[in-house]
Amino acid sequence: MQMRRLATLLFLFMFVGVEIFGQTTVPPTDTPTNTNQLPNATTAPTQEPQKPTTPSTWSDGFTAGALVRVRPEMKYNLDFNRNTNDNVDFTGQKIQFWVQKEFTKDVIAKITFQDARLWGAEKGSLTGLSTANDGTRQSTDIREAYIEVKNNFDLPFHIQAGRQILRYGDERLVGSLDWTNVGRSFDGLRLKWEQKYLSSHVFVTSVSERHSDIAGNTTSFGVKNQYSPYLDCPYNGTKACTLKPDAQRQELGDSYFTGFYNTLKPSDFFHIDLYYLGLQKEYLRTNQSLVLTTGETGTPASRAGRWDILHTYGIRITNRTQANKKALQAIDYSFEYAVQTGTTGKSIRPRWDNNRTLVTLTDPLTNGTYKHNLYSEKERYKTFAFGADVGYTIDKLRLGVAYDIGSGDPNRTDGSIASFQNLFHTNHLFYGMADQVSWVNMKSKSVNASYNLGTYGSVRLDYFAIEKHKLQDSWYDVAGVAKTGASTESISNNSYDVSQVLTEKGTGDNRPVSMLGKSLFRELDFKYNVPYKNLILECGYSMLFAGDAIQNRVNDRTINSQVYTNQFSKNAQFAYLMVTAQF
């Protein structure tokens, strides 16, 4: 399968090269190829002699631009626990400089350089004799670097190859993530068909590469260095030395993100998006083939040496067809629905094996024994998500309502993954400005109002009520990572037990459903931005109020029912001030 992918990519890149050279060397069709050819003797010249043309220079078709953005942020008590010091404040800075060269009207190349850093985050000078960031690494990289060839074969067929930014729909699943200090780019190839009534894109990108280049380019993925067996001796001499085998961490191997995104455009009042998104991830084996029997890295039930394949199918309907996702009508709307299937690469105990039938196996390295399920089945994805956003504009005032749901998993020990996978999203616009939740195991109900103040900018208010979709599942942060232990949850679907579990492990693994909370938090957002000369000034403030799913976990009575302390603090805050200059 990998050889077929490689052959396909090589063919497409060769095709891009042929197109570039073909389109840049062929002269325009309206230019005479023989300057010595005389006009027809019977036809009198009707045009004045042409003036000498100015020879082209390297600067023709060359454009450039830059962006500077500075944003201080403050986060206060986002774990809702008065006994922990989790207050955060920092200043992020992003600088971009881009250049674009138009070789012909159909062949362009673009490079965007970016430096993203936090003020004071790098090692400073202790003596005061050198610069503040002397001798430290720089956070500078390439955000974009691609070649695009348009109108191939005299058709609206375009090819784009290199590092590029992908944005589709409302960016709920594929977005640029420009709100963050770094943002997101993809390395790959994109084929585009652009017509008045149809836009169709096919892309193949590489998310991770396991093999390094012998000429010097290296990868952070793939197999790490192996070390010979060594003696592990406690420093205080109270325990005997033990022999440790050579070992490597389990690493992600080759991974690909692919897509087929289509937009049907019957009119300026109505668009339909139909799409498929595929994410394939290979998990490498760790150590040699025999040393595969301990822990997640090697048990027969693990996915080491297997592929995690996720398929996402979706539809989006909207009338926001104009620039900046504006609508031509007073009522604007966007509805999106997606489902996911596929396999995780893991083999687990099947749901029908209620007896938990186990066999005893021997570890060939240690000669020890361990238990393993006699029966197994593939773990599969079975998820869904839905988003709806409707607004009504009266002159300069817009009122809106939104409802979002991302499926959760009521039982994380069975053969299905029911928690929606949020892929490469830009969530900042949809589920609260404080970025405390992802489109995973959540239900969000919100209302908003925005007002255009003209030259004085615009102001917006949002109110969110966010709950869990499945009480047993975890609370997932903005990156889609489970915040285990931050809210009430249960690994298994312990639906009928009503007794309290009095151990720390019990609270995480087997809490009765009757004791689980539903509400995560309420959030109130305020945002104001205003243009000032060549700048855009923006500030935002959020207040969060925790619900019972968080409160019942912070003040957890199931750990020890005889001891109760009030650690819960209901309120949290987020604020920022952002200055952006783009020229």
Side-chain angles (χ1 to χ4, degrees):
M1 181 171 65
Q2 295 185 30
M3 292 300 296
R4 290 198 298 269
R5 285 199 185 100
L6 181 60
T8 302
L9 287 173
L10 288 175
F11 171 77
L12 291 173
F13 277 106
M14 291 174 62
F15 177 78
V16 173
V18 171
E19 284 296 315
I20 292 175
F21 286 112
Q23 296 196 33
T24 56
T25 57
V26 176
T29 57
D30 58 350
T31 302
T33 58
N34 186 357
T35 57
N36 295 323
Q37 183 177 357
L38 296 175
N40 191 326
T42 60
T43 303
T46 59
Q47 297 181 353
E48 295 181 1
Q50 294 183 353
K51 297 180 180 180
T53 59
T54 303
S56 61
T57 64
W58 69 271
S59 60
D60 291 342
F62 178 85
T63 55
L67 175 145
V68 178
R69 191 183 78 182
V70 178
R71 186 176 70 220
E73 298 183 36
M74 182 276 291
K75 302 177 181 180
Y76 172 73
N77 193 40
L78 289 175
D79 67 350
F80 302 97
N81 190 329
R82 70 174 78 252
N83 291 348
T84 60
N85 183 11
D86 64 328
N87 300 338
V88 175
D89 61 88
F90 58 87
T91 298
Q93 176 179 291
K94 175 189 293 188
I95 301 174
Q96 290 182 349
F97 174 74
W98 61 268
V99 292
Q100 180 172 299
K101 172 66 175 178
E102 184 177 314
F103 299 98
T104 71
K105 67 175 183 178
D106 291 332
V107 180
I108 64 171
K110 182 179 181 181
I111 301 178
T112 301
F113 303 92
Q114 176 173 286
D115 182 269
R117 63 181 62 243
L118 300 181
W119 287 6
E122 299 188 48
K123 183 179 179 181
S125 171
L126 297 178
T127 63
L129 300 177
S130 55
T131 60
N133 295 320
D134 182 65
T136 59
R137 63 178 180 84
Q138 301 298 309
S139 304
T140 304
D141 202 352
I142 303 296
R143 179 74 189 277
E144 292 178 287
Y146 64 82
I147 299 173
E148 184 170 10
V149 184
K150 301 180 180 179
N151 301 313
N152 295 275
F153 311 113
D154 294 325
L155 296 172
F157 173 57
H158 317 311
I159 302 175
Q160 186 175 353
R163 174 162 293 186
Q164 51 196 283
I165 296 174
L166 301 183
R167 298 183 181 93
Y168 287 107
D170 291 324
E171 301 188 38
R172 292 177 183 266
L173 293 175
V174 185
S176 62
L177 202 63
D178 277 328
W179 165 258
T180 65
N181 216 32
V182 177
R184 180 186 294 121
S185 302
F186 294 88
D187 297 323
L189 179 69
R190 180 161 48 160
L191 309 180
K192 301 185 286 187
W193 183 275
E194 299 287 355
Q195 284 183 308
K196 180 178 180 181
Y197 299 109
L198 172 66
S199 173
S200 184
H201 291 196
V202 177
F203 61 84
V204 179
T205 66
S206 178
V207 178
S208 64
E209 172 58 55
R210 62 178 293 189
H211 296 116
S212 297
D213 178 6
I214 60 174
N217 291 129
T218 59
T219 175
S220 60
F221 300 95
V223 176
K224 297 299 182 183
N225 293 329
Q226 285 187 308
Y227 299 94
S228 301
Y230 64 96
L231 287 174
D232 181 18
C233 301
Y235 71 93
N236 56 12
T238 58
K239 295 183 180 179
C241 297
T242 57
L243 181 66
K244 297 289 186 180
D246 61 329
Q248 335 171 150
R249 292 184 299 129
Q250 178 170 338
E251 294 289 338
L252 191 65
D254 291 337
S255 300
Y256 304 96
F257 181 51
T258 60
F260 182 34
Y261 202 99
N262 306 278
T263 301
L264 308 177
K265 301 177 283 188
S267 76
D268 290 337
F269 300 96
F270 183 68
H271 284 186
I272 302 176
D273 294 349
L274 300 171
Y275 58 84
Y276 163 78
L277 304 172
L279 181 59
Q280 301 88 28
K281 298 181 292 186
E282 180 188 15
Y283 286 88
L284 301 177
R285 290 185 179 275
T286 61
N287 309 316
Q288 286 90 16
S289 59
L290 292 179
V291 191
L292 291 172
T293 55
T294 56
E296 163 64 19
T297 60
T299 63
S302 81
R303 53 184 162 190
R306 300 172 183 168
W307 284 85
D308 181 324
I309 301 177
L310 176 66
H311 306 289
T312 303
Y313 306 89
I315 181 173
R316 174 176 170 265
I317 301 173
T318 185
N319 70 341
R320 299 171 184 167
T321 63
Q322 304 304 299
N324 298 322
K325 293 185 171 60
K326 300 292 185 180
L328 296 175
Q329 301 162 303
I331 297 179
D332 63 90
Y333 60 84
S334 178
F335 302 97
E336 186 165 356
Y337 180 74
V339 297
Q340 293 177 328
T341 63
T343 58
T344 68
K346 289 184 177 181
S347 295
I348 66 171
R349 180 181 61 84
R351 286 170 288 182
W352 52 263
D353 185 14
N354 295 324
N355 293 327
R356 299 178 178 270
T357 309
L358 301 175
V359 293
T360 301
L361 300 179
T362 302
D363 189 318
L365 177 66
T366 64
N367 289 325
T369 61
Y370 63 96
K371 298 290 185 179
H372 177 59
N373 293 324
L374 177 62
Y375 307 106
S376 66
E377 67 178 3
K378 290 184 177 180
E379 189 176 49
R380 300 183 180 276
Y381 291 106
K382 189 177 181 181
T383 79
F384 74 92
F386 173 74
D389 187 358
V390 180
Y392 181 70
T393 301
I394 310 171
D395 193 17
K396 297 182 179 181
L397 174 67
R398 181 187 180 274
L399 303 175
V401 296
Y403 177 75
D404 301 284
I405 179 171
S407 65
D409 197 336
N411 188 347
R412 284 170 280 172
T413 63
D414 61 8
S416 66
I417 299 294
S419 302
F420 188 73
Q421 309 298 299
N422 207 181
L423 296 179
F424 304 100
H425 57 78
T426 302
N427 276 341
H428 183 72
L429 303 174
F430 303 108
Y431 320 123
M433 196 165 58
D435 290 329
Q436 290 303 299
V437 71
S438 188
W439 207 16
V440 186
N441 190 37
M442 56 86 80
K443 290 191 293 184
S444 172
K445 305 170 187 175
S446 65
V447 295
N448 58 79
S450 57
Y451 191 81
N452 187 346
L453 299 171
T455 58
Y456 295 98
S458 63
V459 62
R460 174 165 174 148
L461 290 171
D462 289 83
Y463 177 76
F464 296 87
I466 298 178
E467 302 173 342
K468 286 189 174 185
H469 175 242
K470 295 298 182 182
L471 308 186
Q472 301 93 322
D473 205 351
S474 186
W475 168 18
Y476 292 82
D477 65 15
V478 67
V481 178
K483 301 178 66 171
T484 302
S487 66
T488 58
E489 57 184 284
S490 175
I491 297 297
S492 63
N493 190 9
N494 193 359
S495 300
Y496 306 106
D497 192 352
V498 295
S499 62
Q500 289 190 357
V501 183
L502 303 182
T503 66
E504 178 65 31
K505 182 175 176 58
T507 60
D509 288 353
N510 201 34
R511 184 189 296 270
V513 175
S514 60
M515 300 181 64
L516 300 177
K518 179 180 182 181
S519 172
L520 284 173
F521 55 84
R522 306 291 189 264
E523 181 173 335
L524 179 63
D525 295 341
F526 168 81
K527 182 173 70 173
Y528 174 67
N529 67 72
V530 59
Y532 178 73
K533 295 184 178 181
N534 294 328
L535 306 176
I536 297 178
L537 309 178
E538 180 175 312
C539 64
Y541 177 71
S542 302
M543 294 187 64
L544 294 85
F545 309 92
D548 59 345
I550 298 175
Q551 180 177 2
N552 293 346
R553 182 62 185 90
V554 177
N555 289 343
D556 195 345
R557 302 192 184 197
T558 65
I559 297 178
N560 189 333
S561 59
Q562 305 301 320
V563 178
Y564 174 72
T565 59
N566 184 17
Q567 305 178 74
F568 177 67
S569 178
K570 186 174 185 178
N571 298 333
Q573 301 175 66
F574 166 74
Y576 71 92
L577 174 63
M578 184 164 65
V579 182
T580 305
Q582 190 167 3
F583 47 91

